[in-house]
Amino acid sequence: MQVTTTSFGIEEALEQLGIKEVNKGTSTGKNWFSEGEEFSSYSPVDGQVIAKVTTTSKEDYEKVMESATSAFKEWRMKPAPLRGEIVRQFGDELRRLKEPLGKLVSYEMGKSYQEGLGEVQEMIDICDFAVGLSRQLHGLTMHSERPGHRMYEQYHPLGVVGIISAFNFPVAVWAWNTALAWICGDVCVWKPSEKTPLCGIACQKIAAKIMADNNLPEGISCLINGDYKVGEMMTNDKRVPLISATGSIRMGKIVAQAVAGRLGKSLLELGGNNAIIVTPDADIKMTVIGAVFGAVGTAGQRCTSTRRLIIHESMYDKVKDAVVDAYKQLRIGNPLDENNHVGPVIDKDAVKNYQHALKKVVEEGGNIIVEGGVLEGEGFESGCYVKPAIAEAKNSFEIVQHETFAPVLYMMKYSGGVENALELQNGVVQGLSSAIMTNNLREAEHFLSQAGSDCGIANVNIGTSGAEIGGAFGGEKETGGGRESGSDAWKIYMRRQTNTINYTTELPLAQGIKFDL
Ligand code: NAD
């Protein structure tokens, strides 16, 4: 079907979200400014310019920081449950605007409309989680070794949290950070990806309305826009105690060093190289669904996308044939059309990386079993639609060791026990998501044991892709070690303080030390 923005209601969605032809890219809430250079947001769906955004200049950034640091002084004094009430209202506004925002996510980023709606649902879910959490920011109490003393720990807000996000989750990652940071009493400055700035503008408008409705100061939610140079303003800024950065390992290494150089904290959510192990006891039907959705969903552009299938030799041909068959059913096309399974990749650079991976795997001795290629013709004018491809490869290939952010799946065999499959799975520098398909309890438990998967996420009979907000999300090794979202991930957004109170008339010293005057 020919792609037109009118047939999918994009104009209406943009209007509902307040997106104009040219948008100021810097905001402290109600206040929008910046006269920096304009840049365009292109849709990978049809290659059209959706709208323009102005870049944040150094002067704009200073205004943002003044506003944020002053808002923090007021915001931190609000009781946490009251901050939770603001997040509740924000979640309700997201419920109201779920469809237009989901549509914008789909049109600007290229994921399917269903996935766009799913991403907004994740924002709503984290708001609900944060509201409950706003009454549970618990510290511990402990017994003092000194008589008549009480000792406990409490958590205080950190200050300004800087958020740098990637293009592939253009709204949810911000919400994971802000919903928690806000209930913790922090204020947030967000730099969205330069590939999806309109999603940033739409979200900031939603947050700004809630802050204004509640007469809260400018600066609790701030937005800056532009490329890495704008991100660097924050990473080098001592006024920002925590940088939460989501993106490539290359970016994470630069950000981590800049932040560590000023002894700030960083929360890093970087690339993955996720594998599914398929054992002799796997359910083939479940394996195929998990593997295909994991490899081609979001056109292979999830940090948790399945990149490698590690299959026991006894099952190899059966699984290979079933997956190859499933690939034949895939419909590639406009992601706003719910009949399609696979939409475009983000831009022409992503297409080049995809082509490079397919060329390189053959050069290294791999064998393509599902051919790739770039689609042309009606409906594919953006030049960003590629065919999901599969190659038989070795784990040691250089290209297999790298994350290619595109729908390329590598298949490989293992023999012997599950520990041999784990050698392969863990034999990469990344450590985000992992999965095993098995009905064998011993294999499943070994996979989950301390000798098992070395990833932040380890699933049994579920693919690698996607996660619920209730659990802590993140990965080990070069994935960066950060944890976001559920569980006790909130603690990174706060500083811990140990308090000891003496309610006697004596001043005993710890460790029995005597100091008589
Ligand atoms: P990217 O690294 O190119 O950019 C991410 C963000 O970092 C952008 O906002 C960019 O402007 C900014 N940036 C880049 N260099 C910077 C620098 N030197 N200083 C400050 N900011 C800088 O990543 P991308 O292409 O947008 O996203 C894809 C990558 O993100 C993949 O590797 C994917 O696995 C990863 N990702 C990880 C997670 C996770 O939770 N682990 C989630 C989503 C995406």
Side-chain angles (χ1 to χ4, degrees):
M1 187 200 278
Q2 177 65 38
V3 181
T4 62
T5 54
T6 34
S7 52
F8 292 101
I10 295 297
E11 276 92 354
E12 292 92 311
L14 294 178
E15 204 180 307
Q16 267 180 287
L17 297 168
I19 305 292
K20 306 190 191 93
E21 227 165 275
V22 180
N23 302 273
K24 301 242 183 258
T26 312
S27 162
T28 53
K30 274 185 293 182
N31 201 0
W32 289 77
F33 47 97
S34 100
E35 304 301 331
E37 235 172 80
E38 285 173 10
F39 67 102
S40 299
S41 171
Y42 294 91
S43 168
V45 176
D46 58 7
Q48 300 298 312
V49 172
I50 314 173
K52 293 186 176 176
V53 175
T54 56
T55 306
T56 302
S57 67
K58 188 82 194 113
E59 295 73 44
D60 299 329
Y61 176 74
E62 280 307 314
K63 278 197 231 167
V64 165
M65 283 309 295
E66 265 169 42
S67 190
T69 45
S70 132
F72 174 59
K73 293 197 177 118
E74 195 171 328
W75 184 237
R76 68 182 170 183
M77 299 313 291
K78 307 273 181 212
L82 191 143
R83 299 191 296 247
E85 164 56 19
I86 303 301
V87 171
R88 188 192 64 73
Q89 293 178 28
F90 174 60
D92 278 353
E93 193 61 5
L94 289 170
R95 282 184 171 87
R96 194 177 73 77
L97 293 167
K98 183 172 172 181
E99 289 187 6
L101 190 55
K103 219 166 256 184
L104 174 61
V105 168
S106 172
Y107 189 53
E108 191 176 36
M109 184 275 157
K111 63 176 67 177
S112 76
Y113 179 45
Q114 277 306 313
E115 287 177 312
L117 291 174
E119 199 180 328
V120 182
Q121 186 58 46
E122 269 188 43
M123 301 173 83
I124 295 167
D125 292 343
I126 195 74
C127 286
D128 288 353
F129 179 86
V131 175
L133 194 62
S134 70
R135 292 182 185 268
Q136 301 174 75
L137 302 174
H138 300 146
L140 297 170
T141 62
M142 51 286 291
H143 290 269
S144 168
E145 66 186 40
R146 287 168 281 182
H149 283 57
R150 186 163 73 81
M151 187 154 65
Y152 69 103
E153 287 176 349
Q154 57 174 339
Y155 287 87
H156 289 311
L158 267 184
V160 181
V161 173
I163 301 163
I164 296 173
S165 60
F167 78 84
N168 66 328
F169 275 90
V171 295
V173 166
W174 169 70
W176 288 0
N177 282 281
T178 45
L180 295 196
W182 284 339
I183 61 118
C184 290
D186 300 319
V187 299
C188 299
V189 180
W190 178 25
K191 193 203 86 62
S193 164
E194 57 274 40
K195 296 174 187 174
T196 51
L198 301 176
C199 282
I201 298 217
C203 288
Q204 170 69 3
K205 290 204 170 185
I206 298 169
K209 176 188 180 304
I210 300 302
M211 300 302 168
D213 287 353
N214 288 279
N215 290 320
L216 288 164
E218 287 283 309
I220 295 173
S221 179
C222 299
L223 181 74
I224 55 179
N225 259 300
D227 62 10
Y228 73 95
K229 292 185 223 95
V230 177
E232 278 176 351
M233 292 183 203
M234 282 204 292
T235 55
N236 294 324
D237 190 340
K238 280 190 176 162
R239 293 167 294 183
V240 185
L242 172 67
I243 295 283
S244 170
T246 302
S248 58
I249 290 173
R250 188 197 61 80
M251 174 280 285
K253 285 183 176 167
I254 300 171
V255 167
Q257 289 180 43
V259 178
R262 59 177 175 85
L263 299 181
K265 289 210 264 185
S266 46
L267 192 177
L268 300 172
E269 297 285 357
L270 312 175
N273 193 347
N274 319 297
I276 299 181
I277 295 174
V278 187
T279 80
D281 282 302
D283 177 317
I284 302 245
K285 192 167 163 236
M286 285 165 71
T287 301
V288 172
I289 298 171
V292 177
F293 175 70
V296 311
T298 327
Q301 298 169 109
R302 288 187 180 210
C303 49
T304 53
S305 288
T306 307
R307 311 269 172 222
R308 297 174 295 145
L309 265 190
I310 303 169
I311 309 165
H312 192 265
E313 58 184 359
S314 64
M315 297 282 273
Y316 189 79
D317 289 338
K318 235 193 259 177
V319 174
K320 172 175 147 182
D321 292 349
V323 172
V324 170
D325 261 359
Y327 266 54
K328 290 183 189 143
Q329 327 289 321
L330 294 175
R331 281 186 304 273
I332 308 165
N334 183 354
L336 287 153
D337 179 344
E338 291 181 43
N339 292 313
N340 292 323
H341 299 110
V342 186
V345 292
I346 186 71
D347 56 17
K348 298 251 174 76
D349 283 346
V351 173
K352 273 191 213 142
N353 291 340
Y354 157 88
Q355 288 171 315
H356 168 76
L358 292 178
K359 188 165 158 264
K360 187 90 191 338
V361 72
V362 172
E363 280 169 13
E364 289 195 72
N367 174 33
I368 304 274
I369 53 173
V370 173
E371 287 286 340
V374 183
L375 295 164
E376 286 171 3
E378 194 178 317
F380 303 122
E381 291 82 355
S382 70
C384 297
Y385 292 84
V386 301
K387 292 188 204 163
I390 305 179
E392 293 182 297
K394 289 215 167 79
N395 205 53
S396 55
F397 289 0
E398 204 206 329
I399 193 67
V400 176
Q401 291 282 319
H402 280 93
E403 177 195 45
T404 298
F405 224 50
V408 177
L409 177 67
Y410 302 115
M411 265 190 203
M412 56 197 77
K413 260 183 214 172
Y414 78 95
S415 47
V418 71
E419 59 285 354
N420 295 337
L422 278 159
E423 284 273 303
L424 296 173
Q425 188 216 268
N426 294 341
V428 292
V429 293
Q430 308 86 346
L432 183 53
S433 187
S434 59
I436 190 168
M437 303 304 282
T438 185
N439 287 323
N440 179 319
L441 180 74
R442 288 188 183 136
E443 285 173 343
E445 288 293 333
H446 183 78
F447 173 77
L448 298 175
S449 75
Q450 61 274 43
S453 166
D454 63 4
C455 294
I457 297 165
N459 296 330
V460 176
N461 291 334
I462 304 174
T464 59
S465 177
E468 294 182 29
I469 60 98
F473 180 89
E476 299 299 326
K477 303 195 286 186
E478 292 196 8
T479 300
R483 290 296 183 279
E484 270 173 7
S485 198
S487 185
D488 65 352
W490 60 271
K491 287 183 177 167
I492 184 102
Y493 301 94
M494 301 198 87
R495 61 187 169 86
R496 188 194 332 218
Q497 187 175 67
T498 304
N499 305 117
T500 312
I501 300 153
N502 176 359
Y503 56 91
T504 70
T505 54
E506 306 293 316
L507 187 56
L509 301 177
Q511 291 95 40
I513 292 171
K514 295 265 181 288
F515 188 74
D516 291 328
L517 289 176

